[in-house]
Structures are given as C-alpha cells and as structure tokens.
Amino acid sequence: MKSFLAVALLGATVIGGPAFAQSAQPADRAAPAATSQPVDAKMALKGSWRASKLMGLNVYNEANEKLGDINELLVDKSGKIEAVVIGIGGFLGMGEHDIAVSMDKLKFVEVPIRTSASGTATTARDTTTGAAPTSAANRNTNDWVPDHAVMSGNKEQLKALPQFKYSDYN
C-alpha cells in the first residue's frame, strides 16, 4: 500500500508540477500589442519574395536556354543585395563556373517558360518543404518566389567572365 501511495504521489507531482508552476503574467510584463504591423501582414508584403526561395532558382537567357541557377545572394550590412552568385553549367554542382552579377542584370519572371511545341510549362520548381510543385494554373500568383530569372548572354559568354570564389573575399 505504501508503494502504491508513493507511486501515485510521484505521478501526481510529475504530471501536475508544471501546471502548478505556471502563474499569470503581470500586466506590465505582458507582450506589447503589435501596433506597428497592419492587421494582415501578408497583404502588406504582397509582391515580396523570400530570399530562401530564390536559392536554386533557374536562370535562362532570352532564347529560353538554361544558363544555370542561383547559388547565393550576397547582402551588405544594411540588408541590400549587392550581388547574386550564379552557377553556370556543370552537372549536379560539379564543374560549375560561379559568377557574381548585380541584381539589375537579372529580370525575375513569374510566368513559367513555355515550349512552342506543347504550350505547357517546361520548368518544375523545387520546393524546400517537400511538397510537390504546383502547376501554373492552380498556383497562387504571390507564392513568395518568381518562377525563374532571365539574364543576357549564353553559357560560353558567361563562363568567360571572371570566376567568383568565396575564398577571395574572406
């Protein structure tokens, strides 16, 4: 009987301890109301893109030839994007030629690239959430990421540019 009572008391302590330890916050320590944010923050940021979603974004030229993809965004101390590092060519990251270009060299497009033969999208954007890519027809127009970027030039011209190396800027 003593062991049963001890186990019951120990169980009540373990289960009820955190509940008893909680207390109401004083009014002066309560979280301040978010008065600087509008009621719907997503609507206030409509048209913005998530930097994390720009990573890996395909880059094409005006002839719809894939040049490479975005590997990195270089940001200055004020938060302004100074350069975009693009991996040109290569296969699965091997043999890529990284170049750094300013943001104004890229044009971001929210409409998928279409082939002249089928009229359907040829690009399938990878997601970081593991969800399957959605088609352009049922995709939200502001899903926080453009479909692809367009840049002037071809692979040979861009590979002729000086290679960007992170070690040069440490």
Side-chain angles (χ1 to χ4, degrees), residues 23-153:
S23 63
Q25 290 282 345
D28 62 330
R29 290 186 56 203
T35 57
S36 63
Q37 288 289 330
V39 175
D40 188 359
K42 182 177 179 181
M43 290 307 295
L45 298 172
K46 186 174 176 83
S48 298
W49 295 323
R50 293 173 56 185
S52 62
K53 298 286 186 178
L54 291 177
M55 306 291 287
L57 194 70
N58 291 328
V59 179
Y60 293 86
N61 62 13
E62 292 87 359
N64 291 341
E65 299 168 334
K66 183 176 177 186
L67 300 173
D69 55 7
I70 296 176
N71 289 342
E72 193 74 60
L73 300 173
L74 303 177
V75 182
D76 68 10
K77 292 179 182 181
S78 70
K80 179 182 176 240
I81 296 176
E82 283 190 338
V84 179
V85 178
I86 301 173
I88 305 296
F91 180 72
L92 298 175
M94 301 295 294
E96 268 188 339
H97 178 82
D98 286 341
I99 61 169
V101 298
S102 61
M103 249 335 231
D104 63 344
K105 300 290 183 198
L106 295 173
K107 176 185 171 194
F108 291 95
V109 181
E110 296 191 38
V111 179
I113 292 179
R114 300 189 183 281
T115 62
S116 58
S118 65
T120 59
T122 60
T123 59
R125 181 175 40 240
D126 296 330
T127 62
T128 57
T129 60
T134 57
S135 69
N138 65 3
R139 191 175 79 200
N140 184 359
T141 57
N142 182 18
D143 64 355
W144 299 94
V145 62
D147 185 77
H148 64 280
V150 177
M151 182 176 168
S152 296

